[in-house]
Amino acid sequence: METLAQIKQLQAQMAASIIGQQKVIERLLIGILANGNLLVEGLPGLAKTRAIKSLAKNIDSQFSRIQFTPDLLPSDITGSEVYFQTDSGSEFKFDPGPIFANIVLADEINRAPAKVQSALLEAMEERQITVAGKTHKMEPLFMVLATQNPVEQEGTYPLPEAQMDRFLMQVNIDYPSVEDEVDVIGLVRQEEQALYTTTNSDEKTATAATNRLAQQVIFDARKEIANITVSPEMARYIADLVYATRIPEKYSDELASWLDLGASPRASIGLDKCARTHAWLAERDQVLPEDIRNIAVDVLRHRISLSYQAQGAGVTSQDVITKIIELVALP
């Protein structure tokens, strides 16, 4: 339980700087504990980047931010072989790109063309990069968190289905409540005041570095999560939920009219990982139906394709998955 206590402390530290987004903080923790990559979506100004930076700031890790733009090249992400001339001769050395970090923020990933987006695929899936025929391994703690704006589509390149499926979860950030927004205003004002207060700045920096979570704690947590029990009934329930996205006509004609493409087996694997992590955070040693239902929308929403009829009727992926949860019974 000592490991869980330290993760809870990390959660509290993040909540101190991210007000009104408790669910987002929990999803970020589930993502890193489940060893997955996350797609974070929300309107501008809803603290997408701030939440990701808060996670990196409170972990003893190397953080890297990549601002995706239409003129970005794959080598700008992965790095490249660079020619060096020295007194003893000349040689090519690999100059690693920003992808070689523990926590990588891919900001506005849908602003870069497909060739650049695909440069992330090998790193996300294989945890390695191949440049000039040489393979370079990523760090043991490695996570990609990509953000995108769901409204502004001009000059953007939507992520292909193959790449969407490689994200463990798609986390949506909504507007905060009025009360939370008042607290946000106060928090930003306090940060501005602290910026101009130089007293004991070195001491504050040293204290912040001391309070950062060691990477080993995350590895220990993953080991404990791997031992969380998933009963055959819960495993079947996970499979039934995913299977319902592929044969919706078995459950409802309305559901069948909403879906064009169901989720892949990666969805079942992701549901299993996230449900075990959710149960561990809730201090349980086995997965319950509530763990699966709580995380199902985030794991499945980016893995299904809606029909034109559903889009015309204003039906969202979340509506479809909520309907599936209502229709699929426990084994």
Side-chain angles (χ1 to χ4, degrees):
M1 298 304 293
E2 181 182 352
T3 301
L4 178 58
Q6 293 182 74
I7 295 296
K8 291 289 187 182
Q9 178 62 30
L10 170 62
Q11 187 173 8
Q13 291 173 347
M14 293 176 63
S17 60
I18 308 295
I19 296 175
Q21 301 289 358
Q22 294 295 332
K23 183 178 179 180
V24 173
I25 294 171
E26 181 189 56
R27 295 305 190 256
L28 292 180
L29 289 177
I30 290 175
I32 196 167
L33 293 175
N35 198 17
N37 306 291
L38 302 186
L39 181 63
V40 184
E41 188 170 287
L43 296 173
L46 293 186
K48 299 187 298 294
T49 302
R50 183 184 177 95
I52 296 168
K53 282 186 173 180
S54 177
L55 174 66
K57 181 180 69 176
N58 289 290
I59 297 176
D60 185 14
S61 61
Q62 182 183 356
F63 173 72
S64 178
R65 173 178 176 173
I66 306 170
Q67 184 66 50
F68 278 65
T69 57
D71 61 346
L72 204 66
L73 298 174
S75 59
D76 294 330
I77 297 174
T78 62
S80 59
E81 293 283 333
V82 178
Y83 181 78
F84 284 90
Q85 183 71 45
T86 63
D87 295 336
S88 58
S90 59
E91 61 178 332
F92 282 94
K93 292 183 180 179
F94 178 65
D95 184 22
I99 194 67
F100 287 91
N102 300 119
I103 298 177
V104 179
L105 167 57
D107 216 354
E108 295 188 288
I109 190 174
N110 56 333
R111 289 211 170 275
K115 184 179 291 187
V116 177
Q117 293 172 0
S118 65
L120 287 173
L121 287 178
E122 186 181 10
M124 290 169 56
E125 189 71 16
E126 306 296 335
R127 305 302 170 101
Q128 65 182 26
I129 286 291
T130 303
V131 176
K134 296 180 181 179
T135 299
H136 306 272
K137 297 288 184 181
M138 316 305 296
E139 294 291 331
L141 178 64
F142 175 74
M143 182 184 192
V144 173
L145 298 110
T147 70
Q148 64 177 5
N149 180 350
V151 174
E152 190 175 351
Q153 299 299 328
E154 184 176 354
T156 62
Y157 302 83
L159 292 171
E161 288 77 4
Q163 185 161 343
M164 291 283 284
D165 197 34
R166 295 179 191 269
F167 287 100
L168 180 66
M169 290 187 290
Q170 178 182 330
V171 182
N172 285 359
I173 301 182
D174 298 321
Y175 288 116
S177 65
V178 175
E179 293 79 9
D180 287 334
E181 192 148 355
V182 172
D183 293 337
V184 168
I185 295 171
L187 175 64
V188 174
R189 188 190 309 119
Q190 291 173 11
E191 291 177 345
E192 184 178 352
Q193 293 168 352
L195 183 64
Y196 296 103
T197 303
T198 58
T199 306
N200 296 328
S201 59
D202 292 339
E203 182 180 341
K204 291 178 182 178
T205 302
T207 302
T210 303
N211 291 334
R212 299 178 78 186
L213 185 76
Q215 293 186 22
Q216 187 58 46
V217 176
I218 295 175
F219 298 139
D220 292 342
R222 289 176 178 176
K223 184 177 180 180
E224 294 181 12
I225 291 168
N227 293 320
I228 295 293
T229 302
V230 181
S231 68
E233 291 78 15
M234 292 301 96
R236 178 56 188 263
Y237 184 49
I238 290 173
D240 284 345
L241 287 174
V242 175
Y243 197 60
T245 67
R246 303 169 190 163
I247 51 163
E249 62 276 4
K250 178 181 176 181
Y251 296 92
S252 163
D253 291 337
E254 182 183 47
L255 188 62
S257 68
W258 288 347
L259 278 167
D260 269 353
L261 185 66
S264 74
R266 279 200 186 103
S268 301
I269 296 169
L271 263 178
D272 175 74
K273 287 183 177 180
C274 293
R276 282 188 282 114
T277 306
H278 189 274
W280 183 81
L281 287 172
E283 302 182 29
R284 291 194 300 271
D285 61 358
Q286 62 178 347
V287 170
L288 299 180
E290 63 193 69
D291 297 311
I292 300 170
R293 291 168 180 162
N294 184 281
I295 209 73
V297 171
D298 299 283
V299 174
L300 295 174
R301 64 157 54 107
H302 59 296
R303 290 185 162 99
I304 61 175
S305 294
L306 301 182
S307 66
Y308 286 114
Q309 182 175 339
Q311 296 176 40
V315 176
T316 65
S317 297
Q318 181 166 334
D319 296 330
V320 173
I321 299 163
T322 301
K323 186 69 172 179
I324 289 174
I325 294 173
E326 292 175 359
L327 294 174
V328 176
L330 287 169

